């Protein structure tokens, strides 16, 4: 506001103070903790109308699609170096696993309502493509488990940069929102790769399989406890923690997205939950544990803290 030449200093101060009070009152009147505050100056017909609320989380979706990597494909859970989607934690049909889909839909409700678009070896850069495939089905829920392959590279220099990981994950969610805006998303955290190394290195067979190149950035020279090896594993672990932070933050920015709160990262896979083919991927029992974690979080009244 411009001053007139005849404006007096005292009147200017009073006017400024009044404007400040009015602005503060207007802001407070529109910020009710329940989302239903009124804004001064609104037309009479709008007064009393509640502000739009975030959509309620559907704890019993009628269809489910899964995207992600080898874990969601059941890799090495049944046969060495092969997918076994029937034991997938997300979409599997094996009654011993009791996948998330079977727990939500029942065995009879899965036919024609469950799809698995994950791919063994996939990284986050591929997620948008998988989301596009899932969106065509208009599922009630999409499960996401991705990031392990972005940290599991030949060396630490090949790991996906955190900024690139964020951009790819954001792009994937935008892809889904554009094509199927009502679909909910459940995001699993990346497993604790350091803990998997620590547990699996007790198996002589597992360490031989690791030499084939499985997650070399973490598993290479499994018994080397030298400074360089320890530093390399710590770098991988730090990157996984950073990926999980990105998954949490990006998911929080979308109304229909729920992150697992780090539940998969915190889960302590034991020998019984690891594949006896490679001692790194989840076994059938491990897949069942992942399904239980997901079901608990999807059906909870509130998202994990």
């Amino acid at each position: 506001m411009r001053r007139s030449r005849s404006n007096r200093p005292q009147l200017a101060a009073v006017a400024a103070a009044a404007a400040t009070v009015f602005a503060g009152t207007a802001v407070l009147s529109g910020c009710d903790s329940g989302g239903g505050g009124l804004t001064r100056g609104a037309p009479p017909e709008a007064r009393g109308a509640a502000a739009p609320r975030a959509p309620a989380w559907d704890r019993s979706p009628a269809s489910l699609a899964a995207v992600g990597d080898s874990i969601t494909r059941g890799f090495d859970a049944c046969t060495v170096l092969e997918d076994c989607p029937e034991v997938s934690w997300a979409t599997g049909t094996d009654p011993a696993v009791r996948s998330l889909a079977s727990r939500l839909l029942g065995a009879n409700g899965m036919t024609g309502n469950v799809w698995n678009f994950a791919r063994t070896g996939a990284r986050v850069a591929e997620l948008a493509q998988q989301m596009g495939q899932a969106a065509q089905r208009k599922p009630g829920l999409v499960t996401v488990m991705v990031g392990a392959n972005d940290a599991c590279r030949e060396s630490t220099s090949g790991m996906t940069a955190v900024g690139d990981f964020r951009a790819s994950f954001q792009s994937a969610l935008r892809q889904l929102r554009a094509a199927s805006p009502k679909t909910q998303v459940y995001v699993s955290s990346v497993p604790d790769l350091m803990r998997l190394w620590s547990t699996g290195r007790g198996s002589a067979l597992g360490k031989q399989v690791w030499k084939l190149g499985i997650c070399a950035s973490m598993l290479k020279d499994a018994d080397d406890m030298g400074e360089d090896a320890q530093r390399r594993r710590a770098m991988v672990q730090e990157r996984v923690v950073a990926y999980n932070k990105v998954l949490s933050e990006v998911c929080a920015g979308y109304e229909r997205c729920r992150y697992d709160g780090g539940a998969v990262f915190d889960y302590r896979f034991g020998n019984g939950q690891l594949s006896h083919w490679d001692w790194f991927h989840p076994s059938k029992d491990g897949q069942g544990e992942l399904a239980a974690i997901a079901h608990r979080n999807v059906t909870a009244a509130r998202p994990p803290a």
Side-chain angles (χ1 to χ4, degrees):
M1 179 182 294
R2 293 186 296 179
R3 299 180 184 175
S4 66
R5 294 180 180 177
S6 61
N7 196 24
R8 295 182 181 138
Q10 289 182 345
L11 291 178
V14 171
T20 300
V21 172
F22 177 79
T25 303
V27 170
L28 289 174
S29 66
C31 294
D32 181 78
S33 61
L38 299 178
T39 303
R40 293 183 185 273
E45 63 273 15
R47 293 175 185 172
R53 294 173 181 264
W57 178 263
D58 182 2
R59 292 186 280 167
S60 55
S63 55
L64 184 151
V67 298
D69 54 30
S70 56
I71 295 178
T72 302
R73 293 297 301 175
F75 184 79
D76 265 1
C78 304
T79 308
V80 63
L81 300 180
E82 288 189 10
D83 289 350
C84 188
E86 58 267 31
V87 302
S88 167
W89 67 273
T91 61
T93 55
D94 191 319
V97 172
R98 295 188 64 224
S99 69
L100 175 62
S102 68
R103 296 175 194 231
L104 291 173
L105 309 179
N108 295 330
M110 292 178 64
T111 304
N113 294 310
V114 176
W115 308 274
N116 191 324
F117 298 106
R119 185 185 69 82
T120 293
R123 287 183 273 174
V124 71
E126 186 180 315
L127 202 62
Q129 177 187 348
Q130 295 182 9
M131 282 290 200
Q133 294 176 296
Q136 294 178 14
R137 305 291 184 169
K138 299 291 190 296
L141 178 70
V142 169
T143 65
V144 179
M145 184 179 284
V146 73
N149 289 321
D150 293 271
C152 286
R153 309 307 301 158
E154 288 297 318
S155 66
T156 55
S157 64
M159 295 188 296
T160 302
V162 176
D164 293 340
F165 189 91
R166 181 182 295 273
S168 292
F169 187 49
Q170 289 174 326
S171 176
L173 288 185
R174 284 195 296 267
Q175 174 82 5
L176 179 66
R177 288 292 177 266
S180 186
K182 294 184 179 180
T183 296
Q184 297 181 154
V185 182
Y186 172 72
V187 181
S188 292
S189 49
V190 183
D192 186 338
L193 302 184
M194 181 79 83
R195 183 174 293 154
L196 294 178
W197 161 77
S198 179
T199 301
R201 64 189 289 265
S203 167
L205 174 60
K207 287 185 289 187
Q208 289 300 314
V209 176
W210 290 358
K211 291 179 181 179
L212 298 177
I214 295 178
C215 199
S217 56
M218 175 61 77
L219 304 181
K220 181 177 65 175
D221 300 326
D223 291 325
D224 185 352
M225 302 302 290
E227 184 176 339
D228 289 344
Q230 296 280 46
R231 184 184 303 110
R232 166 173 53 82
R233 296 184 194 112
M235 289 177 64
V236 177
Q237 185 74 346
E238 289 172 4
R239 190 60 56 91
V240 168
V241 171
Y243 290 162
N244 283 334
K245 186 173 185 290
V246 168
L247 294 175
S248 174
E249 292 175 347
V250 174
C251 182
Y254 288 80
E255 291 178 335
R256 291 183 170 89
C257 189
R258 179 174 284 193
Y259 175 63
D260 75 356
V264 170
F265 178 84
D266 291 337
Y267 181 73
R268 294 181 175 274
F269 287 89
N271 290 337
Q273 288 77 51
L274 293 180
S275 165
H276 286 188
W277 299 108
D278 66 19
W279 294 89
F280 185 71
H281 287 86
S283 64
K284 183 185 294 188
D285 185 63
Q287 291 282 347
E289 293 296 333
L290 293 177
I293 291 171
H295 183 256
R296 185 163 57 249
N297 289 328
V298 169
T299 59
R302 296 180 180 276

